[in-house]
Amino acid sequence: MELPELSQDELLRYSRHLILPEVGEEGQRRLKAARVLCVGAGGLGSPLALYLAAAGVGTLGLVDFDVVDASNLQRQILHSTNDIGRRKLDSAAEKLQALNPDLNLVKHDTKLSSANALDILKDYDIVADGTDNFPTRYLVNDACVLLGKPNVYGSIFRFEGQASVFAARDGPCYRCVYPEPPPPKLVPSCAEGGVLGVLPGLVGVIQATETVKLILGKGTTLAGRLLLVDALNMRFREVRLRKNPDCQICGAHPAFTQLIDYQQFCGIAPSIQEEIRIMNGVPQLTAAEVKRRMDAGEDLFILDVREPFEYQIANIGGTLIPLGQIPHRLHEIDREREIVVYCKFGARSQRAAEFLRQSGYSKVSNLAGGIMAWSNEVDPSLPRY
């Protein structure tokens, strides 16, 4: 691809880039030629879009359909008090084009869906995901995999954030790490659980950095790594990720070859609210119940069906056998003891418990809400991820 030339004004504007050997004039021309889509113009999208515009990304697409609310202003720095009630896209466009008049800003005033995602994403080189809900997060991931686009991922909650680059070259995608979403009623949103106002700035800047590196083809990106940010204690941890060969979207034999109904995929069916004690024949135990029984010395076989990297982040002990390996490792699970299965939110463990019951294990229960419920109800010091 022939790279665009830089004007005299651009040579002056980007002079601090041009003196970096890793960027130089060719790198700045690559930035000018780049087309990046930011999904969301909120907490993560604000610093992400501002820094990409400032860096000289030539074409920046924004997807959003919301309006500015007063409660946004604590963290969504693209918007100001005077913007309350305005479309976020209009507010964002005003700030971004004031920052860089040469920016080609493309506004997508719509809710991203399985009907329009492929058509919107196909015209961009890189997609940066600044969404705050699971249906859109899985939608963006799957669309990026199907189109072969790198997905620069970020998420935030309370004082904690995550960042990675998914599906870049042969790296893992979001589904490799999180095969299925948690039941929505078990996961509070930022509106319910809160978020530190500066945290999206921190994570969004990391996303912008990764995006610029991908454009330049320089440095080591977060592909194959999940960066965990603990802003309250200012700690950064890193977990290595591997591509799942059985991934439903990017594996060798994908189950999905087109986009699906993500609202249904992320819905509760059936519900596992606290008052429901049995689901598909599997007793549902609360975290408090399991803790009480463990403290009483009951002979429980605690079975963790998450992935090894998740166990490294946080665990309550027991035997680790990832969900996909259970059919081949049944001999390691004691049929005579009462088995309590757990995962992150309770969905994978429910599937494991149902499989065990079908395989002749009669004393199997599920830890409803998983290790996240344990962190909420039993041990708040247990890391959330």
Side-chain angles (χ1 to χ4, degrees):
M1 180 182 69
E2 185 175 348
L3 298 176
E5 297 295 331
L6 300 177
S7 67
Q8 285 300 119
D9 288 342
E10 289 172 322
L11 291 172
L12 177 62
R13 176 182 285 265
Y14 304 118
S15 60
R16 299 302 188 272
H17 269 175
L18 299 177
I19 60 178
L20 291 172
E22 295 82 359
V23 182
E25 185 173 347
E26 181 181 342
Q28 195 62 50
R29 291 168 66 192
R30 288 182 181 277
L31 287 166
K32 184 175 181 178
R35 300 177 60 86
V36 178
L37 179 69
C38 293
V39 183
L44 291 171
S46 290
L48 178 58
L50 282 167
Y51 271 103
L52 292 179
V57 169
T59 299
L60 186 64
L62 285 180
V63 181
D64 207 298
F65 64 97
D66 204 358
V67 298
V68 179
D69 182 83
S71 65
N72 300 151
L73 303 181
Q74 160 251 19
R75 64 199 179 282
Q76 300 183 15
I77 58 173
L78 263 176
H79 316 295
S80 65
T81 302
N82 291 336
D83 295 316
I84 293 173
R86 293 181 69 193
R87 308 292 293 179
K88 285 186 179 179
L89 282 183
D90 295 336
S91 169
E94 183 179 275
K95 313 303 190 305
L96 293 170
Q97 291 179 318
L99 174 64
N100 189 345
D102 295 326
L103 174 67
N104 176 28
L105 184 68
V106 182
K107 297 190 290 185
H108 301 277
D109 189 359
T110 184
K111 182 177 182 179
L112 203 65
S113 70
S114 56
N116 63 21
L118 293 177
D119 190 52
I120 292 175
L121 270 62
K122 67 179 175 59
D123 294 327
Y124 294 91
D125 307 315
I126 298 170
V127 178
D129 180 8
T131 59
D132 61 356
N133 64 86
F134 285 102
T136 311
R137 199 168 290 160
Y138 281 91
L139 169 63
V140 169
N141 175 79
D142 292 0
C144 284
V145 172
L146 293 174
L147 292 169
K149 311 282 187 183
N151 172 15
V152 183
Y153 160 77
S155 68
I156 53 171
F157 180 69
R158 302 193 71 185
F159 295 93
E160 299 172 354
Q162 299 180 0
S164 189
V165 175
F166 289 124
R169 297 180 184 172
D170 297 322
C173 78
Y174 182 75
R175 276 189 193 260
C176 291
V177 184
Y178 302 113
E180 80 286 321
K185 289 188 178 179
L186 294 181
V187 184
S189 66
C190 288
E192 297 165 325
V195 61
L196 182 68
V198 298
L199 178 62
L202 184 58
V203 176
V205 166
I206 292 172
Q207 289 181 274
T209 305
E210 293 301 292
T211 301
V212 169
K213 285 158 54 182
L214 285 169
I215 295 168
L216 296 176
K218 300 291 184 179
T220 302
T221 71
L222 283 172
R225 297 182 290 156
L226 182 66
L227 184 66
L228 305 174
V229 180
D230 176 357
L232 191 60
N233 298 295
M234 198 48 70
R235 291 176 181 161
F236 293 79
R237 291 186 296 154
E238 183 181 295
V239 178
R240 288 283 178 181
L241 305 176
R242 293 182 179 177
K243 184 178 179 67
N244 179 3
D246 299 319
C247 176
Q248 296 186 85
I249 189 71
C250 76
H253 305 286
F256 303 128
T257 56
Q258 60 185 9
L259 302 181
I260 63 172
D261 183 340
Y262 292 88
Q263 293 293 336
Q264 181 176 339
F265 174 66
C266 295
I268 301 178
S271 171
I272 58 172
Q273 298 175 43
E274 185 174 344
E275 65 267 24
I276 295 180
R277 307 297 297 171
I278 303 289
M279 183 195 301
N280 292 347
V282 177
Q284 305 294 305
L285 302 180
T286 66
E289 285 178 299
V290 176
K291 179 65 163 61
R292 175 183 57 77
R293 296 180 64 180
M294 291 172 67
D295 290 345
E298 294 189 27
D299 187 25
L300 302 178
F301 186 96
I302 306 296
L303 176 61
D304 185 339
V305 297
R306 299 173 300 155
E307 297 299 315
F309 83 90
E310 295 178 274
Y311 189 89
Q312 294 174 18
I313 297 172
N315 68 81
I316 60 173
T319 300
L320 174 65
I321 305 179
L323 177 62
Q325 299 179 20
I326 285 180
H328 313 292
R329 298 174 63 180
L330 286 175
H331 62 281
E332 300 178 36
I333 304 173
D334 192 339
R335 290 178 180 269
E336 303 304 317
R337 296 166 66 188
E338 181 171 351
I339 301 165
V340 177
V341 193
Y342 79 94
C343 63
K344 183 177 182 181
F345 290 107
R348 278 176 285 174
S349 54
Q350 175 67 22
R351 287 160 56 192
E354 291 175 11
F355 175 81
L356 289 173
R357 289 182 65 84
Q358 294 167 6
S359 301
Y361 290 77
S362 59
K363 297 182 288 187
V364 185
S365 300
N366 182 39
L367 173 53
I371 199 166
M372 293 298 97
W374 191 280
S375 179
N376 285 334
E377 302 169 17
V378 176
D379 182 8
S381 68
L382 198 68
R384 299 180 62 86
Y385 65 98

